[in-house]
Amino acid sequence: MRLTKFGHACVRLEKDDSALVIDPGSFSEESALDGARAVLITHEHFDHVDADRLRRAAGANPSLEIWTNEGVAAALADVPAKIQVVWHGDTFDTAGFGVRVVGEWHAPNHPDMPIVRNVGFLVDEEVFYPGDAFTPPGVEVPTLLVPTNAPWMKASEMVEYLRQVRPARAFSTHDGLLNDIGLRLIDMWLETESDKQKADMRRLKPGESVTLP
């Protein structure tokens, strides 16, 4: 499986000439959706979902499948794609990938903002993307896409999550709000934790890819 990081919170997974994209929001490159057969969306915030982009992608590929929670599905009702609502505990196959749904709620954010639905995705029992939450996956996770910066989190929570999950690999996501100074800080934290856990923990630059076992 090939994993490619796109801007902020978006990743693309590819295997056997098939592509699946997770959270192609407004801060990511639209090219992430080129040729994708399926899209997974964790929650409704604009940095994770862009209806106009999905509408264009579905226009180019009428068989595009979108898997998400009911709130996002309602907001995408006019997107001409096959939209499927999923819940915590569901499993499904799409674009040649096996997916398990883990989690229900976004982490608490601003006190005046309602907590929205947030579903995480475990893909092929290899890659876990929790969305905007530190949801315990409940199973061994070889590759974790770990949020590293957001209004709803502290650095200590990120480190505690890495120590709880103990993945063999962890790559930064949700880092699009940072300038170069903040990104260097993330790099330092991940390098320090990588050394402690004897694991591969680091930040991929937008457009950078890794091949997973």
Side-chain angles (χ1 to χ4, degrees), residues 39 65-70 73 81-87 92:
V39 178
E65 297 182 359
I66 300 175
W67 302 78
T68 187
N69 64 59
E70 61 177 349
K82 183 179 180 181
I83 300 177
Q84 304 284 336
V85 173
V86 294
W87 302 85
F92 59 91

Side-chain angles (χ1 to χ4, degrees), residues 12-20 35-37 95 97:
R12 178 180 172 112
L13 302 176
E14 297 171 282
K15 70 172 186 179
D16 300 330
D17 297 320
S18 184
L20 176 154
R37 290 177 53 193
F97 296 85

Side-chain angles (χ1 to χ4, degrees), residues 32-48:
L33 290 165
D34 290 350
R37 290 177 53 193
V39 178
L40 311 182
I41 300 172
T42 61
H43 66 284
E44 64 194 54
H45 292 156
F46 70 93
D47 56 331
H48 293 259

